[in-house]
Amino acid sequence: MKWRLWVILCLALAGVGVSGYLTYSKLTNTELLCLGEGNPCEVVQTSIYAYIGPIPVALLGLGGYLLFVLVTALQLKASGERRKTLAGLNFGLALGAFLYSLYLSYLQRFVIGAFCLWCVVSALIVTLIFVLSVWELRVLTASCSAPDASDA
């Protein structure tokens, strides 16, 4: 069974939707639909932290989620060492995304003083992808001597 990969793929596609919407809003100067007094999403999205140089953070997120989709789709088709290598790549991507997401959450809470619901949803998606990628990698590396356990 490769159920963890299917869940990662579904989560990554949801992330594409969230980050795609944030990117669209950013590039078209469209106000975000957001819950909360004073539109906290706009506060976050118009802060100096919404860009890395000229690149919107939302666009980086979109690229990251598309990478998750690609690597996970390849991993679903792979077996043996190739699947393990792709699991390691997915883990590395997820670790980086998770740590960056923690940093952005810190900024929202302690620096910007507003929480964007879309950003929180994206952070939850990344956290779940990270947990599942750790699990997948552990199962695959533990199964070196027991090939049938790789799909547990």
Side-chain angles (χ1 to χ4, degrees), residues 4-5 8 68 75 87-95 126-139:
R4 284 178 302 278
L5 297 177
I8 291 172
F68 280 126
Q75 197 177 349
L89 179 57
N90 237 359
F91 166 75
L93 291 170
L95 177 61
V126 163
T127 300
L128 291 171
I129 289 173
F130 174 66
V131 168
L132 289 167
S133 69
V134 168
W135 189 356
E136 177 71 8
L137 187 60
R138 284 187 51 96
V139 166

Side-chain angles (χ1 to χ4, degrees), residues 6-22 61-62 65-66 68-69 118 121-122 124-126 128-129:
W6 286 107
V7 175
I8 291 172
L9 186 61
C10 289
L11 288 167
L13 290 170
V16 167
V18 170
S19 60
Y21 173 63
L22 291 171
L62 179 60
Y65 282 120
L66 289 171
F68 280 126
V69 169
W118 296 103
V121 168
S122 181
L124 290 173
I125 291 170
V126 163
L128 291 171
I129 289 173

Side-chain angles (χ1 to χ4, degrees), residues 36-59:
E37 205 172 305
N39 201 347
C41 292
E42 283 300 316
V43 172
V44 171
Q45 290 297 309
T46 57
S47 76
I48 61 170
Y49 303 101
Y51 288 90
I52 295 180
I55 303 167
V57 169
L59 183 59

